């Protein structure tokens, strides 16, 4: 995304070999989006990068209409590992198999590692996980216990773990997974499914950690608008925790993204330097989107409300988008994504 080098999708890089920046998926054929009869994750396979996909279960989650007029909740806690991360992992694991790997490596705040390790187990692969020593211990237990992944604890935050995973992938024959282009493509299915259910919406609200999801949501909506499946682009709002808000600060000040030390109990989105941050800012400007923050207390109250009203078990980061909805001055019809429930 910096030097404009191009690689065929048969090459197994996740990072540019020339300038070390992120890669983006570009399709040879300019495809047009159209809804499929079915509204499941794999029904959107033709909008994914080519591969011989094993259809591991993912996505196909429901949309609940909230009691407040106009609030629609996409319930991603219904995924096999209880977060939207499964939508990205289902593609990544297929790519790892296509390239002939038997081991994947991933850095994570928790959910992404739990998700990719689950799919690695299904595919009969090994998983190496790099995670901050201060990460959520229950998530670490799930990754190690349920998925039999190998945990490498890192002194530092998520960004330090991410750098360690990249270094590990350079020295070992392992497929680098995480917040890279294939995950972004898979996560777009969430928007395809939700828009088929609700057809039009004024605002889409998503939590932000590494901003891969935010960038994917923006790209998916632009793709649907260009394909004339939706008439207008909704406003897209990214939500960071008040204690980890590098993108909020950069977007609202017009300055470059500066790395922060995350200070929030919403461990899923405790990210101090979002990898897809610059790309998200560029796209947010295109759709008149914005960034907001919510406090840990606001997320805690929202998680309790989601439980009480709808029986949804959301973790703090998972409750961030509907928590942000409560604070919007103009509400209209809004889609808030409840991204995860590993509590
Ligand atoms: N919600 C949940 C529940 C998450 O786990 C994450 C990210 C996000 C939202 C934000 O998505 O990073 O694409 O902006 N979790 C990552 C992880 C960082 O390692 O599990 P993003």
């Amino acid at each position: 995304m910096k030097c404009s080098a191009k690689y065929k999708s048969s090459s197994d890089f996740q990072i540019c070999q020339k300038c070390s920046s992120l890669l983006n998926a570009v399709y040879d054929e300019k495809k047009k989006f159209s809804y499929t009869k079915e509204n499941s994750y794999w029904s959107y396979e033709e909008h994914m990068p080519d591969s011989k996909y094993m259809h591991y279960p993912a996505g196909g989650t429901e949309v609940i209409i909230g009691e407040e007029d106009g609030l629609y909740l996409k319930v991603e806690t219904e995924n096999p590992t209880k977060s939207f991360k499964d939508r990205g992992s289902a593609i990544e694991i297929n790519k790892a198999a296509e390239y002939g790997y038997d081991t994947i490596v991933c850095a994570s705040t928790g959910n992404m590692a739990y998700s990719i390790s689950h799919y690695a187990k299904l595919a009969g692969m090994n998983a190496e996980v790099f995670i901050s020593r201060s990460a959520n211990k229950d998530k670490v237990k799930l990754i190690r216990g349920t998925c039999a992944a190998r945990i490498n604890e890192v002194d530092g935050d998520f960004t330090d773990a991410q750098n360690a995973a990249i270094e590990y992938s350079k020295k070992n024959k392992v497929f680098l997974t995480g917040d890279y282009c294939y995950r972004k493509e898979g996560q777009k299915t969430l928007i395809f499914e939700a828009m088929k259910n609700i057809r039009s919406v004024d605002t889409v609200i998503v939590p932000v950690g590494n901003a891969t999801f935010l960038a994917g949501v923006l790209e998916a909506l632009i793709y649907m608008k260009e394909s004339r499946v939706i008439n207008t682009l909704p406003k897209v709002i990214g939500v960071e925790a008040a204690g980890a808000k590098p993108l909020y600060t950069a977007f609202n000040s017009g300055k470059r993204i500066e790395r922060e030390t995350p200070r929030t109990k919403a461990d899923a989105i405790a990210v101090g330097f979002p990898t897809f941050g610059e790309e998200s800012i560029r796209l947010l400007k295109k759709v008149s989107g914005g960034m907001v923050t919510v406090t840990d207390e606001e997320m805690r109250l929202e998680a309790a409300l989601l439980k009480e009203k709808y029986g949804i078990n959301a973790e703090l980061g998972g409750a961030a988008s509907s928590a942000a909805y409560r604070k919007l001055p103009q509400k209209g019809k809004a889609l808030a994504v409840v991204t995860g429930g590993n509590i």
Side-chain angles (χ1 to χ4, degrees), residues 189-232:
T189 56
L190 184 149
I191 288 296
F192 303 155
E193 286 175 16
M195 293 309 286
K196 169 141 183 177
N197 285 137
I198 60 180
R199 295 288 165 170
S200 72
V201 71
D202 301 313
T203 312
V204 176
I205 316 170
V206 301
V208 174
N210 236 342
T212 316
F213 184 40
L214 176 60
V217 163
L218 286 158
E219 286 177 6
L221 289 166
I222 292 167
Y223 175 41
M224 293 174 96
K225 168 83 176 20
E226 282 172 359
S227 305
R228 296 173 195 261
V229 172
I230 54 173
N231 295 326
T232 44

Side-chain angles (χ1 to χ4, degrees), residues 14 41-42 51-58 85-106 112-128 175-178 182-183 186:
Q14 293 274 50
Y41 177 82
W42 290 109
S51 197
K52 286 200 178 72
Y53 286 109
M54 281 283 289
H55 287 190
Y56 299 114
K85 291 284 173 183
D86 291 349
R87 296 176 181 275
S89 304
I91 290 195
E92 283 191 320
I93 212 69
N94 272 289
K95 281 283 169 188
E98 176 190 323
Y99 301 137
Y101 286 95
D102 63 11
T103 306
I104 60 91
V105 61
C106 182
M112 189 155 59
Y114 176 32
S115 172
I116 193 74
S117 305
H118 164 78
Y119 288 92
K121 197 174 171 190
L122 293 183
M125 287 186 208
N126 307 310
E128 286 282 345
F175 185 58
L176 178 64
T177 61
Y182 295 122
R183 174 166 301 277

Side-chain angles (χ1 to χ4, degrees), residues 300-317:
R300 194 188 63 76
L301 289 172
E302 181 63 22
L305 194 92
L306 290 173
K307 174 75 181 164
E308 189 187 305
K309 275 196 173 166
Y310 316 109
I312 301 172
N313 283 315
E315 59 185 279
L316 295 188

Side-chain angles (χ1 to χ4, degrees), residues 135-318:
N136 182 316
K137 294 283 172 265
D138 293 330
K139 288 182 181 172
V140 174
K141 255 191 217 161
L142 278 173
I143 302 163
R144 184 186 277 132
T146 317
C147 304
R150 224 172 66 139
I151 303 276
N152 301 271
E153 286 191 336
V154 174
D155 291 318
D157 63 7
F158 166 78
T159 307
D160 296 309
Q162 197 178 36
N163 292 335
I166 293 171
E167 282 314 306
Y168 186 86
S169 75
K170 285 182 187 161
K171 293 182 192 134
N172 299 277
K173 197 179 167 355
V174 293
F175 185 58
L176 178 64
T177 61
D179 279 308
Y180 304 106
C181 61
Y182 295 122
R183 174 166 301 277
K184 178 152 65 62
E185 294 309 292
Q187 290 175 175
K188 290 180 183 176
T189 56
L190 184 149
I191 288 296
F192 303 155
E193 286 175 16
M195 293 309 286
K196 169 141 183 177
N197 285 137
I198 60 180
R199 295 288 165 170
S200 72
V201 71
D202 301 313
T203 312
V204 176
I205 316 170
V206 301
V208 174
N210 236 342
T212 316
F213 184 40
L214 176 60
V217 163
L218 286 158
E219 286 177 6
L221 289 166
I222 292 167
Y223 175 41
M224 293 174 96
K225 168 83 176 20
E226 282 172 359
S227 305
R228 296 173 195 261
V229 172
I230 54 173
N231 295 326
T232 44
L233 279 174
K235 189 169 178 173
V236 177
I237 295 179
V239 189
E240 282 181 322
K245 53 176 177 25
L247 204 60
Y248 168 87
T249 307
F251 183 78
N252 291 305
S253 68
K255 295 196 180 130
R256 287 188 73 77
I257 304 168
E258 300 272 355
R259 183 168 169 183
E260 272 185 23
T261 302
R263 288 190 178 86
T264 170
K265 289 201 170 79
D267 57 88
I269 53 171
V271 176
F273 188 79
T275 358
F276 273 100
E278 277 176 35
E279 182 63 0
S280 290
I281 289 183
R282 190 182 69 76
L283 292 165
L284 275 177
K285 287 185 181 151
K286 218 170 160 174
V287 303
S288 76
M291 288 296 304
V292 299
T293 61
V294 286
T295 63
D296 286 4
E297 182 60 7
E298 284 165 342
M299 288 184 268
R300 194 188 63 76
L301 289 172
E302 181 63 22
L305 194 92
L306 290 173
K307 174 75 181 164
E308 189 187 305
K309 275 196 173 166
Y310 316 109
I312 301 172
N313 283 315
E315 59 185 279
L316 295 188

